[in-house]
């Protein structure tokens, strides 16, 4: 706990860190509180379509008269939830695979690295289209495909760390004392790998948010009536002659969310992993 | 090379950058050949198996027909034919103009090519498979070759529709026998004609280029050296491209009308629609086979809200298949205004609850708006709708190989022609697995369709087509939405041309204003 407070203080001690934290808190508050102060995001009111921002609808309405505050905040909540879920799943799976590969070495290491290379060889959007064609659209498919894309990133980092640790004397000593490999992994590898993985995870959050918005913009992400920042931008874009605010609002929220997460991730990297931060 | 950045260089560079965005306007102003938008890509260039209007429009400009529609009219004059002589109600002699050459070195058009092209509708393709548009030529019994350029058409019965939707239209395209036999299955993607234009290039999902055919011998020479058709499925996107001067002609959605009227150097064209957009219900699929479930769905959907929400109230509501003004329009067709209580009662009588269906539609903004209104409407009666929005290529591919068998509710926009038989043919039992996505099978409907084709008396035909629409209404396989309205913007320097339905574009008659 004290380490977390120490990290928070360090983040707040620099301008970018403060800005990232402020943006992230604002977006979290918007995602959590927005739906509480606005109507049902899926209720249609055809007569009120394209209503300008006002008392009844603080951010106006879309082409079917749905409240934009509600839809944008629900879309933001959806994007954040997916981003956190994907980053957690891929970092856990990727770390475990990477550590196993790094510790085992030999053919296991070569096989894992080859699989990572294969996955990385596909451009993420092309891979996404292929998987969507196979498994259909929807949140589950999205989580699955982005997780698949991100696992190699975490895996490579964990593997590299594990290979470095493997030859250190204290690990050698534990092996000589016949300590069970699982115990060594839990006691030494995981704590040493966690720092960079957390940094990488925080850096990947905005990437997932933007990726989800891109897929939804193209019609392959969240399906109606649910809203996402990508569908809101797309719907607003096609109706830009009738009303500009749906696009601007959703784009602004997306920009703040990704910028906040990026700045916060960078600040976290400087705090947790100053060596790599200095190398940028 | 070293470059010194002084104040003068900076100012020159900045000026060049500032002018850059206007360069495209300069290009647009200098354009002499039009670039236009189409919402659907080419699917199949075989005239008898074409998918929709895009191919139909291309085929009519690339191929010759015995007679061709005049610019913007439903009257026709000779094209490939030098003369057509009516011998009786069911016999016509024709003589071709000599020297009409097929592109690609496939030689001169002869009466053999006419026989070959029309026989495909009678006998099927090379494997004997019935052509998709075979019913356009239903009345044709035989084609007899009497000389190199002469022949005789014999009809099974007098027909009002044969010339209007068959011989004059894309189905009447005269193909090169030699080319078609040589190309085999490639005729779906290669079009050999002798008409005013040639299909010079086609990049799927991107664009096609039609160029003037210098060897065309008929009376209708193309006015432009080339016309580029950009495939832009979303009207709102093509409208934005038009505003950016990247296009000279595009259709646009009703809700953009005010914006369109305010555009400089632009003509707005507004043509009342005779097409038909409806929600097709697959009567064979699971719970949808229950008439009461279908009736409940019909009562639960708010068509007026769809007209307002998805079409901005710019189009009127359809009550039946045939649009007002067409022969056979059922003016007294019932209107099903939303009644949630009735819908719930019908579901309860059917003993159905927690139903879930897939609603398939195109992934354009209007279709998605319709889908979401339907989704919200049906949610109120306890029916969950999953929306399956498809790109146009995949969507129209549902019209082949029985791909439509798993559809449940589908938003379907079809184009109309001027004889009612063209519209009714898609609901025949023989179209199940092709374009009858409702999979509704009514022998009585099929019989009436045949009667309609064989009858010449207008009043009797009217009666027949109204009866057919009553059968459709009783089947509750179709929930009619709108006959549409066609809006186009075109640059003032361009004069587009289309038949009165607004969908059949005549590229060969596109001209400078």
């Amino acid at each position: 706990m004290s380490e977390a407070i120490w990290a928070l203080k360090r983040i707040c001690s620099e301008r970018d860190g403060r800005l990232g934290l402020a943006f992230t808190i604002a977006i979290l508050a918007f995602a959590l509180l927005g739906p509480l102060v606005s109507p049902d995001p899926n209720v249609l009111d055809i007569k009120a379509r394209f209503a300008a921002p006002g008392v009844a609808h603080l951010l106006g309405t879309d082409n079917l008269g749905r409240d934009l505050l509600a839809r944008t905040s629900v879309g933001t909540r959806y994007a954040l939830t997916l981003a956190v879920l994907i980053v957690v799943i891929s970092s856990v799976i990727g770390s475990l695979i990477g550590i196993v590969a790094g510790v085992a070495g030999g053919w296991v290491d070569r096989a894992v690295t080859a699989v990572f290379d294969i996955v990385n060889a596909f451009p993420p959007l092309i891979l996404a289209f292929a998987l969507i064609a196979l498994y259909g659209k929807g949140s589950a498919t999205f989580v699955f495909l982005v997780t698949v894309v991100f696992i190699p990133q975490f895996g490579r980092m964990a593997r590299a760390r594990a290979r470095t640790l493997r030859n250190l004397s204290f690990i050698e000593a534990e092996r000589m004392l016949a300590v069970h490999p699982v115990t060594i992994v839990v006691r030494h590898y995981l704590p040493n790998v966690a720092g960079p993985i957390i940094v990488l995870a925080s850096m990947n959050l905005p990437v997932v948010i933007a990726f989800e918005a891109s897929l939804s913009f193209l019609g392959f992400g969240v399906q109606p009536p649910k809203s996402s920042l990508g569908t809101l931008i797309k719907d607003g874009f096609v109706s830009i002659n009738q009303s500009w605010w749906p696009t601007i609002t959703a784009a602004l929220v997306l920009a703040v969310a990704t910028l906040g997460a990026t700045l916060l991730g960078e600040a976290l990297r400087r705090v947790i992993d100053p060596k790599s931060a200095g190398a940028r | 090379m070293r470059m010194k950045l002084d104040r003068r260089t900076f100012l020159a560079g900045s000026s060049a950058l500032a002018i850059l965005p206007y360069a495209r306007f300069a290009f647009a102003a200098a354009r002499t050949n039009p670039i236009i938008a189409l919402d659907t890509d080419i699917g199949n260039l075989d005239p008898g198996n074409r998918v929709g209007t895009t191919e139909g429009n291309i085929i009519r400009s690339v191929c010759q027909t015995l007679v061709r529609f005049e610019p913007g009219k439903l009257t026709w004059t000779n094209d490939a034919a030098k003369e057509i002589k009516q011998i009786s109600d069911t016999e016509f002699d024709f003589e071709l103009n000599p020297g009409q050459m097929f592109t690609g070195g496939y030689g001169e058009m002869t009466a053999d090519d006419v026989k070959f092209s029309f026989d495909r509708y009678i006998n099927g393709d090379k494997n004997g498979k019935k052509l998709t548009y075979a019913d356009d030529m239903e009345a044709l019994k035989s084609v007899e070759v009497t000389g190199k350029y002469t022949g005789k058409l014999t009809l099974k019965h007098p027909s009002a529709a044969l010339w209007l939707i068959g011989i004059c239209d894309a189905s009447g395209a005269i193909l090169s026998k030699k080319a078609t036999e040589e190309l085999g299955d490639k005729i779906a993607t290669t079009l050999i004609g002798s008409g005013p234009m040639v299909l010079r290039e086609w990049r799927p999902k991107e664009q096609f280029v039609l160029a003037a055919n210098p060897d065309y011998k008929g009376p209708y020479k193309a006015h432009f050296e080339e016309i580029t058709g950009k495939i832009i499925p979303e009207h709102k996107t093509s409208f934005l491209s038009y505003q950016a001067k990247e296009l000279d002609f595009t259709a646009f959605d009703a809700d953009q009308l005010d914006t369109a009227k305010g555009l400089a150097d632009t003509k707005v064209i507004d043509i009342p629609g005779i097409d038909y957009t409806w929600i097709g219900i697959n009567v064979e699929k699971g719970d949808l086979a229950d008439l009461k479930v279908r009736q409940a769905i019909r009562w639960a959907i708010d068509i007026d809200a769809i007209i307002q929400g998805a079409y901005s109230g710019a189009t009127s509501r359809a009550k039946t298949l045939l649009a007002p003004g067409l022969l056979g329009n059922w003016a007294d067709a019932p209107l099903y205004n939303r009644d949630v209580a009735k819908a719930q009662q019908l579901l309860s009588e059917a003993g159905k609850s927690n139903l879930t269906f897939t609603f398939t539609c195109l992934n354009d903004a209007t279709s998605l708006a319709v889908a979401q209104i339907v989704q919200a409407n049906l949610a109120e009666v306890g029916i969950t709708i999953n929306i399956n929005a498809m790109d146009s290529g995949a969507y129209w591919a549902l019209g082949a190989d029985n791909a439509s068998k798993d559809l449940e509710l589908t938003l379907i926009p079809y184009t109309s022609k001027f004889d009612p038989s063209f519209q009714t043919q898609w609901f025949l039992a023989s179209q199940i697995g092709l374009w009858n996505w409702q999979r509704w099978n009514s022998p009585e409907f099929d019989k009436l369709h045949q009667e309609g084709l064989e009858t010449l008396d207008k009043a009797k035909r009217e009666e027949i087509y109204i009866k057919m629409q009553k059968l459709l209404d009783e089947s509750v396989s179709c929930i009619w939405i709108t006959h549409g309205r066609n809006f186009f913007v075109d640059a003032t320097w361009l004069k587009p041309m289309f038949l009165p339905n607004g969908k059949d574009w005549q590229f060969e008659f596109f001209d400078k204003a």
Side-chain angles (χ1 to χ4, degrees):
Chain A
M1 189 63 191
S2 60
E3 279 179 13
I5 292 168
W6 171 81
L8 196 61
K9 277 184 182 169
R10 287 285 306 275
I11 287 168
C12 291
S13 69
E14 52 172 285
R15 194 195 57 186
D16 283 2
R18 283 197 300 275
L19 202 60
L21 194 62
F23 280 0
T24 305
I25 290 171
I27 286 296
L28 281 172
F30 180 69
L32 293 171
L33 303 178
L36 302 179
V37 296
S38 54
D40 185 331
N42 298 329
V43 167
L44 310 186
D45 182 2
I46 301 294
K47 284 177 190 160
R49 62 199 297 261
F50 296 128
V55 180
H57 303 285
L58 292 177
L59 291 179
T61 62
D62 69 1
N63 62 327
L64 296 176
R66 293 172 295 196
D67 187 85
L68 274 172
L69 171 61
R71 290 186 70 74
T72 312
S73 55
V74 165
T76 309
R77 185 188 282 189
Y78 177 79
L80 293 177
T81 309
L82 278 191
V84 170
L85 189 68
I86 287 164
V87 164
V88 167
I89 296 174
S90 53
S91 61
V92 169
I93 297 175
S95 301
L96 289 176
I97 296 174
I99 290 171
V100 169
V103 171
W107 69 267
V108 175
D109 187 29
R110 284 197 296 277
V112 168
T113 310
V115 172
F116 286 170
D117 285 343
I118 290 167
V119 175
N120 277 345
F122 287 97
L125 266 179
I126 304 296
L127 186 63
F129 294 151
L131 290 172
I132 286 166
L134 274 176
Y135 301 111
K137 300 169 190 170
S139 305
T141 309
F142 179 78
V143 171
F144 172 69
L145 77 90
V146 184
T147 303
V148 167
V149 169
F150 277 103
I151 282 175
Q153 289 190 23
F154 291 104
R156 280 180 186 286
M157 178 163 277
R159 174 187 166 272
R161 286 274 164 165
R163 281 182 69 83
T164 314
L165 290 169
R166 189 180 160 202
N167 299 321
L168 294 181
S169 51
F170 68 96
I171 302 276
E172 289 277 345
E174 295 236 341
R175 268 208 299 268
M176 300 290 277
L177 293 169
V179 177
H180 195 277
V182 175
T183 311
I184 301 176
V185 166
V186 172
R187 195 184 290 165
H188 299 295
Y189 284 90
L190 283 180
N192 277 289
V193 163
I197 290 291
I198 289 170
V199 171
L200 184 61
S202 65
M203 302 293 288
N204 274 336
L205 275 175
V207 179
V208 180
I209 293 170
F211 194 64
E212 187 278 323
S214 311
L215 275 186
S216 295
F217 183 90
L218 295 170
F220 295 106
V222 61
Q223 295 301 301
K226 288 180 191 157
S227 65
S228 110
L229 295 175
T231 55
L232 288 165
I233 292 172
K234 169 76 188 297
D235 292 348
F237 165 72
V238 293
S239 308
I240 198 120
N241 285 318
Q242 280 77 41
S243 62
W244 50 266
W245 48 89
T247 303
I248 298 296
T249 310
L252 195 68
V253 171
L254 181 62
V256 171
T258 50
L259 186 64
T262 305
L263 290 174
L264 191 61
E266 289 275 1
L268 199 62
R269 180 163 70 157
R270 286 191 287 275
V271 171
I272 294 180
D273 195 9
K275 252 191 216 170
S276 69
R280 72 192 154 130
Chain B
M1 191 180 85
R2 291 186 65 189
M3 192 174 162
K4 191 180 163 193
L5 183 67
D6 55 19
R7 191 172 63 94
R8 189 169 294 174
T9 316
F10 176 77
L11 285 173
S14 305
S15 308
L17 277 174
I19 290 167
L20 201 59
Y22 297 96
R24 64 181 179 198
F25 294 102
F27 285 130
R31 212 149 52 211
T32 50
N33 290 312
I35 301 177
I36 64 170
L38 292 97
D39 56 16
T40 310
D41 198 5
I42 294 168
N44 189 329
L45 287 167
D46 175 356
N49 286 317
R50 65 191 190 271
V51 177
T53 49
T54 299
E55 298 96 327
N57 295 339
I58 292 171
I59 290 165
R60 278 196 311 276
S61 66
V62 170
C63 295
Q64 283 189 280
T65 40
L66 287 176
V67 286
R68 181 176 290 272
F69 282 122
E70 291 179 320
K73 294 177 183 170
L74 292 178
T75 50
W76 54 79
T77 51
N78 290 345
D79 181 10
K82 185 176 174 188
E83 189 184 18
I84 294 186
K85 204 185 283 176
Q86 183 164 5
I87 309 298
S88 70
D89 274 356
T90 55
E91 284 176 308
F92 297 85
D93 283 346
F94 68 85
E95 182 183 352
L96 297 173
N97 288 305
Q100 298 178 134
M101 306 303 289
F102 287 109
T103 54
Y106 283 103
E108 188 187 13
M109 181 194 291
T110 65
D112 265 339
D113 295 307
V114 178
K115 178 174 171 55
F116 170 78
S117 304
F118 290 0
D119 274 355
R120 298 176 76 231
Y121 293 89
I122 300 167
N123 306 322
D125 64 12
K126 64 181 164 64
N127 302 316
K129 190 179 164 195
K130 186 184 174 184
L131 302 188
T132 307
Y133 281 77
D135 286 344
D136 286 0
M137 302 285 225
E138 180 279 338
L140 194 62
K141 184 179 172 191
S142 66
V143 183
E144 189 187 332
V145 175
T146 54
K148 186 177 180 187
Y149 301 115
T150 55
K152 181 192 282 268
L153 305 179
T154 306
L155 276 51
K156 293 178 208 160
H157 50 79
S159 168
L162 179 68
W163 295 89
L164 196 59
I165 63 170
I167 289 173
C168 261
D169 209 332
S171 294
I174 301 168
L175 301 174
S176 157
K177 181 181 177 188
K178 187 180 170 198
T180 309
E181 286 174 350
E182 251 181 56
L183 288 167
D185 291 339
K186 285 185 188 158
I187 64 159
T189 52
T190 311
L191 191 58
I192 302 293
S194 55
M197 309 194 91
V198 290
L199 180 60
R200 193 165 67 193
E201 176 192 319
W202 171 36
R203 297 207 294 264
K205 296 199 169 186
E206 194 183 327
Q207 67 171 33
F208 64 81
V209 178
L210 287 168
N213 178 6
D215 300 325
Y216 173 62
K217 295 289 190 305
Y220 299 114
K221 296 236 178 276
H223 299 293
F224 285 112
E225 274 173 33
E226 63 176 46
I227 296 175
T228 304
K230 299 273 182 192
I231 310 303
I232 306 176
E234 177 62 73
H235 282 175
K236 289 189 165 67
T237 307
S238 60
F239 186 61
L240 289 172
S241 293
Y242 176 84
Q243 288 173 273
K245 308 275 183 192
E246 287 161 0
L247 297 170
D248 303 302
F249 174 76
T250 182
F252 67 93
D253 289 337
D255 55 11
Q256 316 269 23
L257 186 57
D258 289 339
T259 311
K261 282 178 179 168
L263 296 176
D265 302 323
T266 292
K267 287 198 303 278
V268 175
I269 301 167
D270 176 0
I271 303 174
I274 59 166
D275 300 331
Y276 48 116
T277 297
W278 79 100
I279 298 166
I281 306 177
N282 184 346
V283 300
E284 288 180 354
K285 193 80 200 292
D287 290 315
L288 292 172
D290 189 325
L291 181 69
K292 287 195 171 165
V293 172
R294 302 203 296 274
Q295 286 171 329
I297 290 171
R298 181 160 68 180
W299 284 114
I301 293 176
D302 189 348
I303 304 293
D304 290 328
I306 289 175
I307 298 294
Q308 287 304 319
Y311 297 91
S312 298
T315 176
S316 54
R317 179 178 171 178
K319 295 194 292 185
T320 184
L321 169 65
L322 299 171
L326 288 178
L327 177 81
N329 169 249
W330 182 20
D332 302 323
L335 208 55
Y336 297 95
N337 288 323
R338 189 169 198 233
D339 189 333
V340 173
K342 205 177 265 183
Q344 283 167 332
Q345 188 196 327
L346 281 160
L347 284 176
S348 134
E349 283 171 22
K352 309 281 184 189
S353 57
N354 297 323
L355 295 171
T356 299
F357 300 116
T358 299
F359 187 96
T360 304
C361 63
L362 285 160
N363 63 357
D364 60 80
T366 302
S367 302
L368 281 170
V370 173
Q372 290 180 73
I373 294 169
V374 169
Q375 190 178 48
N377 288 164
L378 293 183
E380 282 183 53
V381 295
I383 298 175
T384 305
I385 290 293
N386 295 316
I387 296 171
N388 177 28
M390 303 172 84
D391 77 73
S392 67
Y395 177 88
W396 292 114
L398 292 168
D401 303 326
N402 213 15
S404 58
K405 69 179 188 307
D406 292 323
L407 292 174
E408 291 180 330
L409 302 177
T410 314
L411 181 68
I412 313 173
Y414 273 15
T415 305
S416 281
K417 299 225 183 251
F418 305 95
D419 191 89
S421 63
F422 183 82
Q423 279 81 284
T424 51
Q425 68 177 312
W426 311 120
F427 300 87
L428 299 174
S430 59
Q431 285 290 334
I432 292 174
L434 296 170
W435 297 109
N436 179 352
W437 293 357
Q438 295 75 227
R439 305 181 79 81
W440 175 62
N441 182 345
S442 164
E444 194 183 350
F445 186 91
D446 290 11
K447 195 172 144 249
L448 285 166
H449 175 78
Q450 194 57 37
E451 264 181 56
L453 287 171
E454 293 173 13
T455 307
L456 281 182
D457 182 81
K458 263 192 170 184
K460 274 188 191 158
R461 288 193 90 205
E462 180 122 30
E463 216 173 278
I464 289 167
Y465 288 110
I466 288 175
K467 256 190 214 168
M468 292 171 81
Q469 287 168 90
K470 284 181 178 170
L471 289 174
L472 267 176
D473 180 65
E474 285 161 19
S475 76
V476 201
S477 58
C478 303
I479 300 171
W480 308 108
I481 296 178
T482 179
H483 295 299
R485 195 166 152 188
N486 304 293
F487 293 107
F488 304 100
V489 275
D490 84 287
T492 43
W493 68 272
L494 174 69
K495 189 180 167 199
M497 192 58 69
F498 12 67
L499 294 178
N501 63 356
K503 289 287 166 62
D504 288 337
W505 301 356
Q506 296 172 292
F507 294 127
E508 66 275 26
F509 297 129
F510 273 44
D511 200 355
K512 284 180 185 154

